[in-house]
Amino acid sequence: MTLLLSIIIIVLLFIIAVQSYSRRKMNRSLNEIQKKLSDIFEQKTTEKVLIQTDHQTIKQFLIQMNRLLDYNQQVIADYVKTKESLRKLLSNMSHDLKTPLTVILGYVEKLHLDNSMSVEERSQAISRLHQKTLNVITLLNQFFDLVKLDSGDYSFPLSKISINEVCRKNVLEFYDLLQSKNLRVEVNIPEQPYFVLGNEEALNRVLSNLISNAIRYGSDGGEFGLTVREDGEFIAIDIWDKGKGIAKVHQDQVFERLYTLDDARSPEFQGSGLGLSITKNLIEVMKGSIYLSSTPYEKTVFTCVFHRITY
């Protein structure tokens, strides 16, 4: 009986010792984790908490903690990006609105104060004033459109639409401008009808923006093209030119709001940096995708891809 009692006591003491050792080890691990977390937050680093341990609970704890750190770092990165976008938004809005508003004010003052203007001069000034006012309204509408798209306030009911017909109509609307730029036009739209689930108003805006961009920025290449083609279960629309193109370093950023190339800020290539962002949003509303491929003075292609429907 005494021997059995001694064995029980020894076993209990061993268990207590093991538990005590395990607790001390866990405390050391938790202290290391606490210190590492403190260093990460104080120094604002992107490190992870890496602690060697064989304790399964602590391992799972570390996995979830590092996931939380990843999320936190992503939130910080998004905040910095948003802050920079806001800064650029204010800068671009200031530039894009101040210039035409100054011109508008100049025309108004001239019409109001200059009594020596002839009827023809007054008519020209009014025409220019009207055009500048329309430009400002267009720019403001672009800003509001992007806000609405982001907030989900835009309603675009989807229905069966003919890609062929919409593309033909949009090319015809730019016929006079293409002719005035002396561009060689290559349009390949199959006779076989292709249908997608989309919104005709949204698709018109997409094509109008891409075609006008190709003419504005790519007319120095002397060619413009639009191709509708089958791509497996998808229908693709390629809008291309052979102008100066877009350098590789910019290609991943052109769809970001307010991103403009350096020459897009010049009077000749004035742009708000919103057109392609709105285009991308509209295509995504229609469950499609847009891609860019560009080799300067060889070929720059914007490709819109939509799911084909056959019913």
Side-chain angles (χ1 to χ4, degrees):
M1 184 69 178
T2 303
L3 179 60
L4 179 59
L5 185 59
S6 298
I7 292 172
I8 292 173
I9 292 172
I10 291 171
V11 170
L12 289 173
L13 288 172
F14 176 76
I15 293 172
I16 292 170
V18 169
Q19 289 179 337
S20 178
Y21 173 76
S22 178
R23 190 177 297 110
R24 287 197 302 272
K25 192 174 180 181
M26 181 184 290
N27 286 337
R28 282 198 302 270
S29 295
L30 291 173
N31 286 333
E32 285 184 59
I33 293 171
Q34 185 273 330
K35 184 177 182 304
K36 188 66 176 176
L37 274 176
S38 179
D39 290 342
I40 288 172
F41 289 126
E42 287 178 7
Q43 298 172 22
K44 298 180 180 179
T45 67
T46 58
E47 295 179 74
K48 301 291 183 293
V49 180
L50 303 175
I51 303 293
Q52 288 190 345
T53 178
D54 55 2
H55 198 290
Q56 289 302 314
T57 301
I58 292 183
K59 281 183 179 180
Q60 292 303 314
F61 177 64
L62 285 170
I63 290 171
Q64 298 306 319
M65 182 182 296
N66 285 325
R67 287 182 63 191
L68 185 60
L69 286 172
D70 278 336
Y71 176 76
N72 181 64
Q73 287 155 13
Q74 184 61 51
V75 168
I76 292 172
D78 289 344
Y79 169 75
V80 172
K81 188 175 180 180
T82 302
K83 187 176 179 181
E84 177 60 22
S85 291
L86 181 59
R87 183 198 65 76
K88 193 171 182 181
L89 166 66
L90 295 174
S91 174
N92 284 8
M93 282 189 69
S94 174
H95 179 279
D96 293 338
L97 292 175
K98 183 178 179 180
T99 301
L101 287 175
T102 302
V103 174
I104 288 171
L105 180 60
Y107 281 126
V108 170
E109 289 178 346
K110 187 173 183 179
L111 288 166
H112 180 65
L113 300 174
D114 191 352
N115 295 321
S116 64
M117 293 177 67
S118 67
V119 173
E120 184 180 352
E121 288 174 333
R122 187 173 292 273
S123 176
Q124 288 177 351
I126 291 173
S127 178
R128 290 169 185 161
L129 176 61
H130 180 251
Q131 186 57 53
K132 285 294 179 182
T133 304
L134 290 178
N135 291 344
V136 172
I137 292 172
T138 298
L139 177 63
L140 289 173
N141 284 336
Q142 283 188 324
F143 281 109
F144 294 143
D145 285 346
L146 193 57
V147 170
K148 287 180 179 179
L149 283 166
D150 280 347
S151 64
D153 288 343
Y154 247 131
S155 176
F156 284 109
L158 303 182
S159 60
K160 180 181 179 180
I161 58 175
S162 169
I163 283 284
N164 313 60
E165 291 306 313
V166 174
C167 287
R168 288 191 188 99
K169 183 179 74 173
N170 277 273
V171 172
L172 286 173
E173 286 181 357
F174 283 90
Y175 178 79
D176 291 339
L177 182 57
L178 289 165
Q179 291 293 102
S180 69
K181 295 284 186 179
N182 295 316
L183 296 177
R184 188 181 76 82
V185 179
E186 183 179 319
V187 177
N188 293 304
I189 302 176
E191 291 299 323
Q192 177 187 351
Y194 293 131
F195 297 96
V196 300
L197 189 64
N199 179 278
E200 189 165 344
E201 178 190 349
L203 187 55
N204 282 331
R205 291 189 62 185
V206 165
L207 293 174
S208 177
N209 186 49
L210 293 176
I211 294 172
S212 62
N213 276 1
I215 297 171
R216 177 185 295 178
Y217 301 113
S219 60
D220 52 342
E223 294 185 43
F224 164 83
L226 184 148
T227 301
V228 176
R229 57 187 171 85
E230 221 178 320
D231 186 9
E233 61 187 64
F234 302 96
I235 298 299
I237 306 170
D238 297 322
I239 296 171
W240 57 268
D241 63 77
K242 293 190 176 181
K244 61 188 172 182
I246 300 170
K248 188 71 175 177
V249 67
H250 298 295
Q251 291 181 21
D252 291 335
Q253 298 171 287
V254 293
F255 297 109
E256 295 180 7
R257 70 191 61 191
L258 302 170
Y259 186 83
T260 55
L261 304 179
D262 292 339
D263 56 11
R265 306 308 308 166
S266 72
E268 183 182 359
F269 298 111
Q270 184 70 45
S272 64
L274 294 174
L276 286 176
S277 181
I278 291 173
T279 295
K280 184 173 185 290
N281 273 269
L282 289 172
I283 289 173
E284 289 176 348
V285 165
M286 294 184 283
K287 314 301 181 187
S289 306
I290 184 168
Y291 306 97
L292 166 63
S293 170
S294 180
T295 302
Y297 294 105
E298 288 188 19
K299 202 169 192 180
T300 295
V301 187
F302 282 92
T303 300
C304 308
V305 180
F306 302 97
H307 284 275
R308 182 184 182 186
I309 59 174
T310 55
Y311 53 87

